[in-house]
Amino acid sequence: ASKGQVEVESGEKGASDDKGSKPFQPPCGLTNLGNTCYMNATMQCLYSIEELKTALKTYNTTSQLDPTARLTASARDLFRKMELETSGQPSISSAGAGNPSAQKFDLDNEEKEEDGMYEEKSVTPSEFLASLRQSFPQFAQQGAGGLYMQQDAEECYSQVLNALREKLDTSGDKKDVKDLFGIDMETNLVCEESKEEVNEKSTLYTFKCNISQEVNHLHDGFRLSLCEDREKHSQALGRMALFKGVSKINTLPKYLSVQLVRFLYRRDTQSKAKILRRVGFPLQMLDVFEFCSDELKGTLETGRKTWQKMEDEKAELAKKRRTGESGESQESQTSVVIGDSNHTGFYDLHAIITHKGRNADSGHYVSWVKRDGQWVEFDDDDVYPVTDEDIQKLDGGGDWHMAYVCIYKARLV
């Protein structure tokens, strides 16, 4: 398709996956303003988090001089424009009716053109880009010929999240960004020589998955990142000494942001080299129970027992239906009351930022978001529905797009 037009083919899951499911509602893309795919990928992921959008809607500022206030207001306005652009009713081309693999989605809610192409819909994030560069001048770096340079999407994600936290988490116990993304950690450090212990507490907003030759899965990288050797002043020895530390999670967020640490700085090339190693990540049921403190594990046990009871009752109902036993609907027979406040330690994949290329400050960033059960690829202003199989191919090992930041949503009961 030509620029500005797209022809979309669905995979096994098309516009209507199952009988009675809603048709795919095409979201809008974001225009690339010159090496701004890192920003577009970041904002598409943040836009997908409904609770964050709700918190932003009530944000007001009269400050003309505070760059962080301007950035927060610009994010609010950008999300509002994206919401308006996406609010049109989707239409499905009749050309693919009855054949899911040939269905085309009208990405601009326009009349079908003769060649089967559809105009894309997108928003141009000019004001947000200007406020981002004002708040964080690193994103305004220019290279040869005065062209703006590519930047690191994880750095953009972290900086934007910190800015939103600064402005939204200001009133009493209401901490929107902290509650949504904050990971309270406790680190126990033991001196190798004196055996003295030091306990430190901190709050993180991204959970690191370090990558080495032994790391094949997120869990392997988590274990690596939660252990550290640190040079620190020893009160007992009166000098610097080596401390070995182990960290545990004290509180879990609703959205767990995971960074696969794929880039390391090389002094010889003065650039961030990329680790291409394949690292598997689950689409469902990421279990972080083993990384939690004993106190948190005790709290999680309640939610996990409730969740297991729900699963057992679902399995029993399915068995009755297979054997032809009469019974009421699942909802009426399930005795477990489902809530949204108890953590289980289980997370399902919600969104991804991927990188294609060999170093962080070049290449191309794309976001992938699950909307109403359908995975969607956001490649700037090109938007496509994709399948679970497409997402599973983002685990690395080559020159294709590979997961860099994964956002998991808590399975609450």
Side-chain angles (χ1 to χ4, degrees), residues 82-273:
M82 293 170 70
E83 201 163 46
L84 289 171
E85 191 71 21
T86 307
S87 62
Q89 294 297 316
S91 63
I92 301 174
S93 167
S94 59
N99 181 5
S101 64
Q103 287 174 344
K104 302 178 180 66
F105 301 103
D106 181 353
L107 297 187
D108 205 20
N109 199 27
E110 299 287 348
E111 293 286 337
K112 174 181 175 293
E113 298 185 7
E114 290 183 3
D115 60 0
M117 301 298 180
Y118 298 88
E119 291 296 320
E120 294 172 337
K121 56 183 178 181
S122 64
V123 169
T124 302
S126 304
E127 168 57 25
F128 182 79
L129 177 60
S131 64
L132 178 69
R133 288 172 173 166
Q134 180 188 21
S135 296
F136 306 106
Q138 70 192 80
F139 299 119
Q141 290 177 321
Q142 293 173 292
L147 297 176
Y148 285 104
M149 298 172 64
Q150 177 69 284
Q151 300 293 334
D152 188 322
E154 189 280 327
E155 291 180 7
C156 180
Y157 180 85
S158 294
Q159 296 283 35
V160 171
L161 210 55
N162 284 335
L164 297 181
R165 177 172 56 85
E166 181 181 328
K167 293 303 174 184
L168 296 179
D169 292 5
T170 55
S171 57
D173 295 332
K174 192 172 184 293
K175 305 291 185 183
D176 291 307
V177 176
K178 167 69 167 59
D179 292 342
L180 289 174
F181 301 97
I183 313 161
D184 289 333
M185 305 291 298
E186 183 169 351
T187 303
N188 178 253
L189 294 157
V190 179
C191 179
E192 287 282 271
E193 297 177 63
S194 67
K195 304 305 178 186
E196 67 186 290
E197 292 190 28
V198 178
N199 287 307
E200 297 180 350
K201 293 187 177 181
S202 61
T203 300
L204 306 178
Y205 288 85
T206 55
F207 200 45
K208 306 293 185 184
C209 170
N210 288 344
I211 302 175
S212 69
Q213 291 298 320
E214 291 74 38
V215 172
N216 297 305
H217 189 275
L218 282 187
H219 280 84
D220 302 326
F222 292 159
R223 294 186 193 101
L224 195 62
S225 67
L226 291 174
C227 297
E228 63 171 318
D229 292 344
R230 190 193 305 177
E231 287 282 340
K232 181 177 171 65
H233 184 268
S234 166
Q235 294 285 354
L237 301 173
R239 57 176 171 81
M240 297 296 287
L242 178 65
F243 283 73
K244 287 191 173 292
V246 177
S247 297
K248 294 287 185 180
I249 301 171
N250 269 343
T251 63
L252 287 170
K254 188 167 185 179
Y255 292 90
L256 181 68
S257 302
V258 175
Q259 180 196 0
L260 288 89
V261 185
R262 288 200 171 275
F263 297 104
L264 51 87
Y265 186 77
R266 290 185 54 176
R267 287 191 175 89
D268 56 343
T269 60
Q270 294 188 341
S271 64
K272 296 176 183 176

Side-chain angles (χ1 to χ4, degrees), residues 252-256 283-286 300 303-304 307-308 310-311 314 338-349 370 408-413:
L252 287 170
K254 188 167 185 179
Y255 292 90
L256 181 68
L283 274 62
Q284 293 181 319
M285 296 291 288
L286 171 68
L300 293 177
R304 291 166 85 88
W307 175 83
Q308 188 58 58
M310 289 165 50
E311 293 300 302
K314 288 178 185 177
I338 301 175
D340 62 355
S341 58
N342 293 324
H343 275 276
T344 61
F346 297 129
Y347 283 82
D348 298 321
L349 189 59
K370 196 168 190 179
Y408 281 88
K409 184 175 182 179
R411 190 171 286 201
L412 305 175
V413 294

Side-chain angles (χ1 to χ4, degrees), residues 297-365:
K297 284 179 179 178
T299 302
L300 293 177
E301 286 289 1
T302 301
R304 291 166 85 88
K305 288 176 181 177
T306 302
W307 175 83
Q308 188 58 58
K309 187 174 182 181
M310 289 165 50
E311 293 300 302
D312 291 344
E313 292 191 4
K314 288 178 185 177
E316 183 62 28
L317 287 168
K319 180 180 178 181
K320 287 181 178 180
R321 284 195 293 270
R322 286 196 304 270
T323 58
E325 294 182 38
S326 60
E328 299 176 27
S329 66
Q330 177 176 323
E331 290 76 15
S332 63
Q333 290 218 355
T334 300
S335 62
V336 180
V337 178
I338 301 175
D340 62 355
S341 58
N342 293 324
H343 275 276
T344 61
F346 297 129
Y347 283 82
D348 298 321
L349 189 59
H350 175 75
I352 312 176
I353 297 174
T354 61
H355 178 264
K356 182 180 181 181
R358 290 295 176 123
N359 68 68
D361 300 323
S362 65
H364 187 54
Y365 291 97

